[in-house]
Amino acid sequence: MSAAAPVVELKQITKRFPGIVANDAISLTLEKGEIHALLGENGAGKSTLMNIVFGLYQPDEGSIEIDGKPVIIDNPNKAIELGIGMVHQHFKLVEPFTVTENIVLGMEPKKGLKIDYKSAAEQVRKLSEQYGLQVNPNAKIHDISVGMQQRVEIMKTLYRGADILIFDEPTAVLTPQEITELMAIMKRLVAEGKSIILITHKLKEIMQISDRVTIIRRGKVIDTVKTSGTNPNELAEKMVGRGVTFKVDKQPAHIGEGILKLSDVRSKSKDGVPVLNGLSFEVKAGEILGIAGVDGNGQSELIQAITGLRKIDSGSITVSGKEIANLSPRKVSEMNVSHIPEDRHKHGLVLDFTVSENMVLETYYKSPYNQNGFLNKDVINQHAEDLVKQFDVRTPSIENKARSLSGGNQQKAIIAREIDKNPTLLIAAQPTRGLDVGAIEFVQKQLIAQRDQGKAVLLISFELDEIMNVSDRIAVIYEGQIVGEVFPQDTNDQELGLMMAGSLKRGGHADV
Amino acid sequence: MEVLGQLLNTTLVFSTALIFAALGGIFSERSGVVNIGLEGLMMFGAFAAAVGGYYAQEAGMGEWAPWVGVLSAMAVGVIGSLIHAVASITFKADQTISGTVINFLAAGSTLYMVKLIFDGSGETPLIDGFSKVSIPGLSKIPVIGEGIFNSYPTTYLAIILVVVIYFVLFKTPFGLRLRAVGEHPSAADTLGVNVNKMRYIGVMLSGLLAGIGGATITLTTTGTFAHNTISGQGFIAIAAMIFGKWNPLGAFGAAVFFGLSQAIRNYVQLFEWSKSIPQEFIFMIPYVLTIIVLVSAVGRSSAPKALGEPYDPGKR
Amino acid sequence: MSRIKKIFATDTYIIPLIAILLGFLVGAIVMLIGGYDPVAAYSALFKRVFGSPYDFGEAVREMTPLMFTGLAVAFAFRSGMFNIGADGQVMIGMTAASVVGIKLGGVLPAFLLVPLAVIAAGVCGGLWAGIAGYLKAKRGINEVITTIMLNWIALFLSNYIVRTFLLLQGQNRSEDNPASLSMTFLFSTFDNARLHWGTVIALAAATFFYVYLWKTKQGYEMRAVGLNPHAAEYAGMNVGRNVIKAMFISGVFAGLAGAGEVLGVFHYQSVFAASPGYGFDGIAVALLGLTHPLGVILAAILYGTLTYGSAGMSFGADVPPELIRIVIGSIIFFIAAQGIVRWVLKPFYFKRKKEKVL
């Protein structure tokens, strides 16, 4: 192995963005037939590095060699020519197109002027068989599962003859079973002579599948080690730069009376497809109920139903015994319900408002902010100053636009606003997505602090680790139903995974 | 029966310009660029056709002269659309504003040039334009023969283009790429499809087709170009495109519908009972119908997903 | 002090200025191509406006509806909507002022009649725009299309009302309107230029625009809806109601423009052959003024100067007045495509920085 040149060699790659060095003299080699993990926190520079390899960005300094030959990769076409393929974290699939159309886009087989869909589908079917992917060439993207969509992404690279595959956080949206299947696919790819770079921040996967690991932190390579010679604790420490505890500190819960109660909630999408399918559960004061599930099984709709953003067809939703189903979002908010939304840019903040203005987004109409129809700017600013201080929101001033804050600080601002409302029920949807370890710890601590103050907390997350660590009780959602309720100490990833995939039901209100 | 054939024929005369412009709009918007500038592009086309047609006629080109007009309209339409393309694609300007700019510049520059070329006159000299062409045999079919197969060459061209563009959009690699760029530009980009290039082509094709649309009006209806030659047709073409769900066949149907509502306005005045209706209300028909149609049709659900968003590869 | 510094540090103000210069430059080039003398033309333009008290007064008259329609378009823009229909709203406002003024002229004393006519114009303009707002809020229909269609409908509806109910026998216009907004006390100073109270109302409207949007609870809501309707909805604001309200207020501004024209300038209403075009000018003014009320007033002054002066240009230098539309279109183009202006400015910025280093 050492005799042949590495398939990819990155030499001293440096990439600067205004105000930040995203990659600082990064060097890395990928050997043929190897699975090389690239480990780092959100924002450590992994994605920037891979976008450079894939030709989406140009490095400011440094060089790239493929099979020992120096190359310049100035656009994705060049990368494709060199046999590099990328499986993006956020799938880049055209929804209304078929699997085949997505795969051949840009390299369509032709018959006369027309696209030769017949031979295209045939090629797709062959590739699918060769790597055991089981993809239906004629299915439309919006009709297939997330796991299948990822396989389409993989096939897009294979169709272009890629030998070097980059997987960017590939397991983020998969169930544990789908992750196992993906690992098998990756092994098979390597066995067929491909080489893989796996970008991830999940240590478990690295230990399971990779041959070597390169750890980067704040744009710099910290170390490259053989997987067989390391352990998760050592990797974590290198990634974060200090000792990390995997378990979140928390005292036993003091559970009080029921606060949020849903029974047999049903709702349909615009097209008449049921999205909430007789959903029932309860959250009590002083507990965190975690909703586990694969993206798209009704989580968003569930939150919308509780917060008044979606009408339900039947069933009941009560907060502290009062019916809130089909009330307006404002009315629900006034029932002491706080909501940390899933998409902070789209739903949580008005990015072009100042931090100060964002802090009163839900309370601007109340005294003392509103006086006879006019806003009292002094009071609003003072309130913002207080929250910024109390929750350590890093901003040059409260007059800065929310857009200029980092993701972690934006999330802190939202959490400050929502917790400041002193809610009886706090709904947190994906509250740590895209944050670095420090911010994640902060957010999780805040959730636990709320629970310790006797608030009911509903946590929705796709990250199983988070659900397992933070929740006092776990409810699993599948196709708009709660298919199981378990305690974190009585279950494991495998069992949760089976429930999330709909093949196991356990306990709770679900009619089994 | 005879009236019905005539009505159909007039409908097609009115529809033809709308069909061209709506097809143009489809190319632009399918690639992800809103084109509210269709009105201005039609104005450019109408102007160029009047001027080009006039000089060709003066040069003694006879029945070929209107075709020179069409070619001039295509060229000027494309040049006009480039302003929109540069602003909204290269410089990422707001697409609605940049389309509005086209409408402004077209209104100003066409009249400026008319006055410049024709010694201060506000109108181009009257030209012959196209004559209707009967298709042997087919034009003898009752109603349809009179209605369809005895039309201006531009009408035949429009109908052929509907089919051709449908084929291009849905059967060819070019069409697949264009639609991909309008739906999910970064997906297309990562597969090596040049997003900006596709969008430039989309916008330029919209200029070309809207230009022909404008030419149709000068060369088959008015015979001259003045400040009111194009008055709202571009906007109705946008409505036709939306109503037709960004599909050439649908847009064709919608354009014919709007053409019909305009034709009815003329025909209804032939009847005695219509005298009791104030003419203004008859004039309103197409516009009221447009709103009613939009109210009853599905909203933007079928619009290209990335419509209106400048593509920024750094953003994911 | 630091505030003043901030104003000059940002390029928010520089870009429109450069865009205006570039626009004039494009106009000059177009004139050169056409064989005209741009210097003579531009100086004729400004001479026309500032040459006599009458012309100056008339230029102010020209600016007034532009202020209103500019504010109308800008207000809708701030709330996330593109109101292309100010034109129709102006016509509806005119018609309302005509109906009230002419029909109630013999019944009410002037001090009631005039305010009533003005209010009717504003309210009717607002309701007309509100139709588009309603269709957007309830049915999700793009307001661009509906407001354009409503322009046509307003044109025909206004003509119908004038022809049927208000017609001066044998003429293509309404009877004279007894309600008057004219500032007759200024007529001697400005040589009978048609100055009217509408200008004052427009300045008041700009003040209202600023205070309402940036100082009140409702304005806060409206800006939130305009900047991010999703977040506004999540925060418990009623997006649909704000959309309708914003369009209504936008339409009120436009309707008041109509009142000014009918009650202050013409004192009757014509049967229109085509749309008078106030609304489209309003789009230009709003974009030119960066949709800020103060900017809109300044932009209206510029635009009014250019359009009123363009007549002098065609008279003095024989240049077709349409040239001004090219100039204005170019200015908006450069403002919209700010990248081009930044690109033009780049060498200057670099120079300045280098100087600093040295």
Side-chain angles (χ1 to χ4, degrees):
Chain A
M1 188 162 102
S2 56
V7 278
V8 179
E9 181 160 15
L10 305 181
K11 292 181 168 171
Q12 303 286 318
I13 298 284
T14 297
K15 174 74 184 172
R16 294 182 199 92
F17 290 116
I20 177 175
V21 183
N23 291 163
D24 190 353
I26 290 189
S27 297
L28 185 148
T29 57
L30 176 69
E31 304 290 347
K32 190 169 171 58
E34 170 185 48
I35 298 181
H36 192 129
L38 190 56
L39 174 67
E41 286 200 62
N42 285 311
K46 297 169 299 195
S47 294
T48 307
L49 186 66
M50 287 307 114
N51 282 332
I52 288 172
V53 175
F54 195 59
L56 290 168
Y57 294 153
Q58 298 314 302
D60 297 321
E61 285 159 34
S63 60
I64 304 175
E65 290 184 5
I66 302 285
D67 295 326
K69 287 184 256 348
V71 291
I72 287 171
I73 308 175
D74 44 16
N75 61 57
N77 269 340
K78 192 73 183 285
I80 293 165
E81 256 171 56
L82 291 164
I84 302 169
M86 182 137 163
V87 178
H88 299 271
Q89 178 185 4
H90 304 287
F91 303 152
K92 294 185 184 287
L93 297 171
V94 185
E95 292 246 323
F97 285 13
T98 65
V99 167
T100 303
E101 283 174 324
N102 267 286
I103 292 172
V104 301
L105 176 63
M107 267 183 79
E108 306 85 355
K110 277 199 284 188
K111 201 159 93 188
L113 292 170
K114 279 165 79 169
I115 298 178
D116 187 353
Y117 280 117
K118 223 172 163 186
S119 88
E122 182 57 26
Q123 282 184 64
V124 169
R125 204 183 47 74
K126 264 192 198 149
L127 274 175
S128 167
E129 273 170 16
Q130 186 187 349
Y131 294 95
L133 297 173
Q134 299 168 339
V135 173
N136 171 8
N138 298 318
K140 289 250 165 86
I141 295 299
H142 51 62
D143 294 334
I144 62 178
S145 73
V146 174
M148 277 297 169
Q149 291 181 3
Q150 187 171 55
R151 294 181 188 187
V152 177
E153 283 281 304
I154 298 172
M155 290 187 58
K156 274 159 72 176
T157 68
L158 297 174
Y159 174 80
R160 286 164 178 74
D163 291 317
I164 302 152
L165 278 76
I166 305 168
F167 284 81
D168 186 2
E169 300 280 3
T171 61
V173 290
L174 302 183
T175 65
Q177 281 71 25
E178 283 174 325
I179 293 174
T180 312
E181 286 168 26
L182 175 66
M183 300 275 169
I185 291 170
M186 289 169 81
K187 290 241 164 80
R188 185 145 175 189
L189 288 166
V190 175
E192 299 262 345
K194 314 284 183 194
S195 315
I196 292 178
I197 297 178
L198 169 66
I199 304 174
T200 183
H201 63 274
K202 292 189 181 167
L203 305 167
K204 226 184 283 172
E205 288 154 21
I206 290 181
M207 297 309 293
Q208 254 177 46
I209 195 164
S210 70
D211 300 306
R212 284 193 300 157
V213 195
T214 295
I215 305 107
I216 61 176
R217 187 169 77 221
R218 299 203 177 158
K220 285 192 179 124
V221 172
I222 300 301
D223 203 356
T224 298
V225 294
K226 274 212 153 86
T227 312
S228 52
T230 185
N231 60 61
N233 281 330
E234 188 191 357
L235 287 177
E237 215 173 301
K238 285 185 168 151
M239 167 168 79
V240 184
R242 60 187 158 88
V244 191
T245 50
F246 289 108
K247 282 288 165 210
V248 182
D249 274 344
K250 62 178 190 191
Q251 305 299 316
H254 299 286
I255 293 176
E257 61 195 40
I259 298 291
L260 172 69
K261 195 165 181 187
L262 278 78
S263 48
D264 200 30
V265 173
R266 287 172 194 275
S267 178
K268 289 194 179 78
S269 74
K270 260 192 204 139
D271 322 321
V273 183
V275 282
L276 298 178
N277 218 345
L279 199 123
S280 309
F281 65 81
E282 187 177 27
V283 192
K284 298 198 173 82
E287 82 165 339
I288 299 178
L289 175 72
I291 301 276
V294 178
D295 190 6
N297 274 287
Q299 291 96 325
S300 307
E301 290 82 0
L302 165 65
I303 301 167
Q304 289 164 355
I306 301 173
T307 50
L309 293 157
R310 164 179 288 274
K311 297 264 174 275
I312 63 169
D313 302 326
S314 66
S316 101
I317 307 174
T318 59
V319 170
S320 309
K322 292 199 189 81
E323 184 66 41
I324 60 159
N326 297 338
L327 290 184
S328 72
R330 162 106 2 126
K331 289 258 166 60
V332 174
S333 165
E334 286 172 347
M335 299 287 297
N336 287 325
V337 176
S338 276
H339 172 203
I340 301 165
E342 185 175 345
D343 186 335
R344 53 180 164 269
H345 287 170
K346 198 171 168 193
H347 299 144
L349 294 167
V350 177
L351 290 175
D352 289 311
F353 266 9
T354 63
V355 172
S356 176
E357 284 175 313
N358 269 299
M359 287 298 191
V360 291
L361 206 57
E362 286 152 351
T363 45
Y364 64 95
Y365 63 94
K366 290 186 187 161
S367 175
Y369 312 124
N370 168 25
Q371 282 168 345
N372 309 320
F374 286 86
L375 295 177
N376 187 332
K377 220 172 168 202
D378 295 336
V379 178
I380 292 174
N381 284 347
Q382 191 53 50
H383 171 250
E385 294 283 7
D386 293 346
L387 288 185
V388 163
K389 213 171 286 164
Q390 192 188 336
F391 287 85
D392 189 32
V393 182
R394 307 266 169 89
T395 171
S397 119
I398 55 160
E399 296 287 346
N400 279 68
K401 296 223 163 122
R403 185 182 292 285
S404 66
L405 271 56
S406 74
N409 282 304
Q410 288 173 342
Q411 188 72 332
K412 278 184 187 174
I414 295 173
I415 288 173
R417 182 180 76 210
E418 297 302 324
I419 287 181
D420 181 62
K421 277 168 64 192
N422 191 22
T424 39
L425 169 67
L426 175 63
I427 302 167
Q430 301 274 25
T432 61
R433 186 160 68 172
L435 304 183
D436 63 26
V437 171
I440 290 173
E441 276 179 0
F442 176 88
V443 172
Q444 293 180 344
K445 267 189 195 143
Q446 291 294 339
L447 294 182
I448 290 165
Q450 287 299 302
R451 160 249 206 198
D452 290 344
Q453 288 176 31
K455 315 269 166 79
V457 180
L458 178 66
L459 168 70
I460 292 98
S461 177
F462 304 145
E463 295 269 356
L464 261 193
D465 290 345
E466 178 164 85
I467 291 280
M468 290 287 269
N469 282 333
V470 179
S471 321
D472 299 309
R473 200 154 53 87
I474 299 171
V476 181
I477 193 169
Y478 174 72
E479 293 193 340
Q481 271 182 323
I482 299 297
V483 292
E485 280 188 26
V486 291
F487 291 99
Q489 58 272 21
D490 304 341
T491 187
N492 56 42
D493 283 7
Q494 282 312 307
E495 189 187 45
L496 283 178
L498 287 173
M499 287 196 275
M500 283 158 67
S503 38
L504 180 71
K505 297 189 175 187
R506 212 187 118 177
H509 296 277
D511 354 278
V512 182
Chain B
M1 276 315 252
E2 200 176 297
V3 176
L4 213 59
Q6 283 168 8
L7 180 66
L8 181 58
N9 197 282
T10 318
T11 297
L12 284 178
V13 172
F14 284 126
S15 309
T16 304
L18 297 178
I19 296 170
F20 281 118
L23 288 174
I26 288 174
F27 270 118
S28 173
E29 300 218 340
R30 278 282 185 177
S31 81
V33 182
V34 176
N35 199 343
I36 204 174
L38 284 183
E39 175 89 357
L41 294 171
M42 286 183 84
M43 223 177 269
F44 277 127
F47 156 79
V51 176
Y54 168 75
Y55 282 113
Q57 194 175 316
E58 290 292 286
M61 293 180 75
E63 57 182 303
W64 290 103
W67 289 107
V68 175
V70 170
L71 286 175
S72 324
M74 286 160 70
V76 176
V78 170
I79 294 169
S81 69
L82 273 173
I83 302 171
H84 185 36
V86 169
S88 66
I89 302 170
T90 306
F91 289 98
K92 303 188 178 15
D94 182 299
Q95 294 174 359
T96 309
I97 295 179
S98 137
T100 308
V101 167
I102 297 287
N103 294 338
F104 259 92
L105 287 179
S109 61
T110 51
L111 274 183
Y112 176 79
M113 285 188 276
V114 167
K115 289 189 177 172
L116 205 64
I117 299 170
F118 300 104
D119 295 324
S121 160
E123 196 170 338
T124 62
L126 193 68
I127 53 173
D128 295 341
F130 282 114
S131 319
K132 289 190 176 172
V133 177
S134 296
I135 308 262
L138 292 176
S139 59
K140 297 284 180 289
I141 305 171
V143 185
I144 300 178
E146 164 90 32
I148 301 175
F149 297 108
N150 185 24
S151 293
Y152 292 111
T154 42
T155 303
Y156 300 127
L157 179 65
I159 294 172
I160 293 167
L161 273 183
V162 168
V163 180
V164 169
I165 289 174
Y166 179 85
F167 176 85
V168 167
L169 272 180
F170 295 105
K171 303 289 173 197
T172 67
F174 170 80
L176 187 73
R177 292 172 190 190
L178 190 90
R179 287 183 293 129
V181 160
E183 288 285 340
H184 197 327
S186 87
D189 189 15
T190 49
L191 294 180
V193 176
N194 186 330
V195 174
N196 284 356
K197 187 176 115 191
M198 293 309 294
R199 289 191 166 177
Y200 261 89
I201 295 174
V203 173
M204 285 162 75
L205 282 173
S206 81
L208 185 115
L209 288 164
I212 303 179
T216 307
I217 292 173
T218 357
L219 298 172
T220 66
T221 312
T222 61
T224 78
F225 174 79
H227 72 278
N228 60 354
T229 303
I230 305 295
S231 52
Q233 291 96 328
F235 293 113
I236 296 179
I238 294 174
M241 169 191 72
I242 295 175
F243 184 32
K245 297 189 171 173
W246 291 266
N247 181 315
L249 304 180
F252 170 74
V256 170
F257 171 79
F258 289 129
L260 177 69
S261 71
Q262 217 154 355
I264 281 180
R265 166 177 135 169
N266 292 4
Y267 270 82
V268 89
Q269 285 165 318
L270 298 179
F271 297 97
E272 203 51 43
W273 52 264
S274 78
K275 295 282 194 296
S276 58
I277 304 172
Q279 55 172 16
E280 280 92 353
F281 288 102
I282 295 172
F283 291 161
M284 273 182 213
I285 292 173
Y287 310 104
V288 175
L289 272 180
T290 305
I291 291 183
I292 292 173
V293 157
L294 289 174
V295 169
S296 47
V298 200
R300 280 174 73 89
S301 58
S302 41
K305 229 193 213 135
L307 188 59
E309 293 167 15
Y311 178 55
D312 181 358
K315 233 166 61 181
R316 282 184 304 156
Chain C
M1 200 44 211
S2 69
R3 203 176 225 182
I4 295 172
K5 242 188 212 160
K6 218 163 82 188
I7 289 175
F8 285 101
T10 60
D11 48 11
T12 329
Y13 301 85
I14 296 174
I15 283 176
L17 288 179
I18 301 290
I20 290 168
L21 284 179
L22 288 175
F24 275 103
L25 195 66
V26 169
I29 293 170
V30 170
M31 280 191 267
L32 283 175
I33 294 172
Y36 302 110
D37 177 359
V39 178
Y42 283 139
S43 54
L45 188 155
F46 286 104
K47 230 177 260 160
R48 167 71 188 255
V49 176
F50 299 102
S52 74
Y54 172 79
D55 282 322
F56 184 74
E58 279 292 299
V60 172
R61 194 263 308 150
E62 180 96 27
M63 292 164 195
T64 305
L66 296 170
M67 292 179 187
F68 277 122
T69 51
L71 290 172
V73 177
F75 194 88
F77 235 105
R78 286 281 174 182
S79 317
M81 273 162 301
F82 196 23
N83 178 8
I84 291 200
D87 220 35
Q89 294 142 27
V90 172
M91 281 186 273
I92 292 294
M94 285 178 163
T95 311
S98 295
V99 169
V100 170
I102 293 168
K103 289 293 169 196
L104 300 180
V107 189
L108 292 175
F111 73 92
L112 284 179
L113 181 68
V114 175
L116 193 67
V118 171
I119 291 169
V123 169
C124 291
L127 290 175
W128 195 252
I131 298 173
Y134 178 84
L135 291 173
K136 166 122 178 172
K138 300 292 168 193
R139 304 299 309 243
I141 302 166
N142 189 332
E143 75 280 8
V144 171
I145 306 289
T146 46
T147 49
I148 289 165
M149 296 302 139
L150 284 169
N151 281 347
W152 288 97
I153 299 171
L155 170 72
F156 297 126
L157 185 64
S158 297
N159 283 351
Y160 169 73
I161 291 173
V162 171
R163 266 196 337 114
T164 318
F165 302 110
L166 309 172
L167 201 69
L168 181 66
Q169 274 308 312
Q171 301 280 325
N172 218 12
R173 69 169 178 94
S174 75
E175 299 169 34
D176 284 334
N177 194 327
S180 170
L181 275 176
S182 292
M183 289 170 150
T184 37
F185 61 96
L186 289 176
F187 277 18
S188 56
T189 324
F190 285 94
D191 222 357
N192 287 326
R194 292 166 291 174
L195 289 166
H196 59 87
W197 285 102
T199 316
V200 178
I201 302 176
L203 295 175
T207 315
F208 168 81
F209 183 135
Y210 178 77
V211 172
Y212 182 80
L213 217 48
W214 278 281
K215 301 292 173 195
T216 74
K217 179 197 90 175
Q218 296 192 22
Y220 173 91
E221 231 175 66
M222 229 168 248
R223 281 185 298 128
V225 167
L227 290 169
N228 187 345
H230 305 286
E233 191 189 1
Y234 269 60
M237 301 172 193
N238 186 330
V239 173
R241 198 171 58 202
N242 273 290
V243 163
I244 298 172
K245 202 157 65 179
M247 279 306 276
F248 176 79
I249 294 175
S250 168
V252 168
F253 290 145
L256 290 174
E261 292 299 279
V262 161
L263 305 179
V265 181
F266 299 110
H267 303 289
Y268 62 82
Q269 183 173 345
S270 306
V271 172
F272 296 109
S275 110
Y278 294 106
F280 291 96
D281 295 341
I283 297 169
V285 170
L287 297 175
L288 208 54
L290 304 177
T291 68
H292 189 282
L294 179 62
V296 167
I297 295 298
L298 295 175
I301 291 172
L302 173 72
Y303 195 126
T305 306
L306 292 182
T307 39
Y308 187 75
S310 70
M313 201 176 70
S314 83
F315 206 70
D318 206 23
V319 179
E322 283 78 18
L323 177 92
I324 283 309
R325 293 212 144 227
I326 301 179
V327 172
I328 291 163
S330 312
I331 295 175
I332 304 171
F333 173 79
F334 289 119
I335 288 181
Q338 301 205 342
I340 297 178
V341 177
R342 291 223 168 83
W343 180 69
V344 171
L345 281 178
K346 223 173 176 180
F348 299 100
Y349 271 130
F350 276 129
K351 230 188 221 164
R352 229 169 53 187
K353 271 181 192 153
K354 263 182 200 160
E355 277 163 12
K356 261 186 202 159
V357 174
L358 291 171

